Amino acid sequence: MDFKFTEEQELLRSAFAEFAKEKIAPNAAKWDEEDYCPVELMPEMGEIGILGVFVPEEYGGVGLGHTERVMALEEIARYSAGLAMMVFTHQLGMAAILDFGTEEQKNKYLPEMCAGTKICGLAVTEPGGGSDVAGQKTGAELADGQWTINGRKCFITNSHIADTTVVTCRTGEDEKGRAQFSAIIIEAGTEGFTPGRHENKLGLKGSVTGELIMNNVKVPEGNVVGKVGQGTPIAMKEIGEVGRASMTAICVGILRGCLEDAVKFANERVVYGKPIAKLQAIQFHVAEIRIDYEAARLMLYRAASVKDAGEPAATEFSMAKHFGTEAAARSAKRTIELMGGYGVVNEYAAGRYLRDAMACISSGGTSEIQRIIVAGDTLKRF
């Protein structure tokens, strides 16, 4: 087994890291403080290949894989987990169109999304149906070649900034009377389609999260992604693989921030005439953070390699997401403890790491949901 990136991947990582240090690092604290989403960076990220890194060249992408995609997200999240959240949700909607859309849909939407001139999103969660996908109430009825959509989505990233959103809607029942759902594309500016509440989040600031309200929204019949009734498997595939991969990548970025900041502080902070890095208690904190970072990183890139090999990777990403998010939270707490009083001063990033990590735990399925997924697969496989 080879755990090294290829020469091409290392060059790509260096380009992503350079962009992050130049464009993101100097502004991350301000974006967090002001809860500002820097949408103006999207064309720049499109230009260097971040947004469409996993999309084939024929649709305006770079033509690489999800390993390279999560690599970019890790570099962004090292400084701004919120911005990484916005980027990954953009890619989440793109992935639904790429994996299930028609050629017409791919050619219409993907080139501008890869370029960053249009922003995408995916809307599944509702007040009564998050992980309970079957609990969704948003409905769509087909008549005279048009879908009429009514309902409300909540906790949707890119809610107020997306130009195009893939929305899951209840579109009927199967032969056993069970609800069927479809994924339908709605463009911003469509009559009756409006953003609602803008959430003030604990963490992941720098991304926009809020409601989407649909009041007799009419879209063409051809806006269905995939087949009618295929909405649940589309949502589960993209959230389960693309979404949870991204949340893990964000937490690996947070973990790297914790590690680098903890080491820097420990070497520079002098107490009793010597750097606190000489104290065994501090060394224990640093060691635990390093272990969490390395383990989460390995789980992330192993799962991404499984997906890039064309094999099912949902369980691998559930394991990585569970471990990565929990590890980021505990390592951020350790970083604060290591820094003492400085750890709770917002001049330092440690508090932001903790808030961002805590917000990641519930995004894309809570830790309890990941355990259920992993347990179900384990009981069948072993």
Side-chain angles (χ1 to χ4, degrees):
M1 297 177 71
D2 186 359
F3 291 98
K4 294 182 179 179
F5 292 123
T6 65
E7 184 177 349
E8 181 186 37
Q9 288 172 330
E10 286 291 355
L11 288 172
L12 199 61
R13 173 185 279 279
S14 295
F16 294 156
E18 183 179 350
F19 175 83
K21 287 179 182 177
E22 179 184 345
K23 298 289 186 177
I24 299 172
N27 301 300
K30 183 179 179 181
W31 294 338
D32 176 74
E33 184 178 353
E34 298 178 357
D35 197 9
Y36 174 73
C37 182
V39 293
E40 66 276 8
L41 284 183
M42 289 294 278
E44 292 186 57
M45 288 189 282
E47 187 175 346
I48 66 171
I50 288 176
L51 304 180
V53 67
F54 67 106
V55 175
E57 294 181 23
E58 62 189 293
Y59 304 121
V62 179
L64 296 175
H66 286 273
T67 298
E68 292 81 7
R69 189 182 68 82
V70 297
M71 181 188 295
L73 289 174
E74 179 191 340
E75 295 299 331
I76 295 169
R78 163 60 185 89
Y79 302 105
S80 176
L83 177 58
M85 187 78 178
M86 186 262 275
V87 171
F88 116 65
T89 305
H90 173 73
Q91 295 173 331
L92 188 63
M94 291 170 65
I97 295 171
L98 175 64
D99 292 342
F100 296 95
T102 63
E103 283 299 310
E104 181 181 357
Q105 289 169 346
K106 294 175 188 178
N107 285 304
K108 178 179 180 180
Y109 294 109
L110 292 179
E112 289 185 304
M113 292 174 181
C114 289
T117 54
K118 297 288 186 182
I119 297 175
C120 193
L122 179 72
V124 177
T125 303
E126 298 183 7
S131 296
D132 177 17
V133 177
Q136 296 176 79
K137 302 299 182 185
T138 296
E141 295 182 357
L142 181 63
D144 300 323
Q146 284 190 320
W147 291 102
T148 300
I149 306 168
N150 286 282
R152 179 166 66 101
K153 301 289 183 178
C154 66
F155 303 137
I156 305 302
T157 304
N158 295 350
S159 55
H160 291 58
I161 62 172
D163 299 284
T164 304
T165 305
V166 179
V167 180
T168 54
C169 310
R170 181 170 180 158
T171 51
E173 297 179 346
D174 62 16
E175 63 278 0
K176 295 183 179 180
R178 296 172 298 192
Q180 283 191 326
F181 300 89
S182 302
I184 301 176
I185 294 171
I186 308 178
E187 296 182 10
T190 302
E191 186 175 356
F193 184 54
T194 57
R197 176 187 172 91
H198 182 172
E199 300 294 350
N200 181 13
K201 306 188 297 294
L202 169 75
L204 297 175
K205 294 177 182 289
S207 63
V208 176
T209 304
E211 292 181 325
L212 287 172
I213 298 169
M214 290 143 283
N215 185 14
N216 289 326
V217 174
K218 297 185 184 299
V219 299
E221 183 176 2
N223 279 29
V224 169
V225 178
K227 298 178 181 179
V228 173
Q230 201 177 9
T232 297
I234 290 174
M236 291 300 94
K237 176 179 174 60
E238 304 307 347
I239 293 171
E241 297 186 0
V242 177
R244 288 168 188 155
S246 302
M247 295 311 306
T248 310
I250 290 171
C251 286
V252 170
I254 293 170
L255 280 161
R256 204 171 95 212
C258 291
L259 182 60
E260 292 174 355
D261 288 6
V263 169
K264 183 176 186 296
F265 187 88
N267 283 323
E268 294 178 354
R269 174 66 168 155
V270 176
V271 176
Y272 306 121
K274 60 184 178 182
I276 63 172
K278 300 293 184 181
L279 301 173
Q280 190 178 63
I282 297 299
Q283 293 173 2
F284 286 172
H285 278 312
V286 171
E288 293 286 355
I289 296 169
R290 172 73 184 278
I291 292 167
D292 273 344
Y293 167 66
E294 295 288 357
R297 185 173 180 271
L298 285 171
M299 293 181 77
L300 168 66
Y301 286 106
R302 175 184 175 271
S305 69
V306 171
K307 181 171 177 60
D308 282 338
E311 300 175 16
T315 302
E316 283 71 16
F317 282 124
S318 281
M319 290 189 289
K321 198 267 180 185
H322 178 278
F323 182 85
T325 53
E326 296 286 347
R330 65 175 170 259
S331 285
K333 181 175 179 289
R334 286 185 185 277
T335 304
I336 291 172
E337 291 172 350
L338 177 149
M339 295 174 70
Y342 291 98
V344 296
V345 174
N346 283 334
E347 180 182 345
Y348 295 87
R352 183 169 83 243
Y353 298 152
L354 180 58
R355 289 186 288 104
D356 288 340
M358 292 302 297
C360 286
I361 290 174
S362 60
S363 300
T366 63
S367 292
E368 289 75 18
I369 289 294
Q370 307 317 315
R371 293 187 195 111
I372 290 170
I373 293 169
V374 173
D377 179 77
T378 303
L379 290 167
K380 286 188 292 185
R381 186 179 300 190
F382 294 93

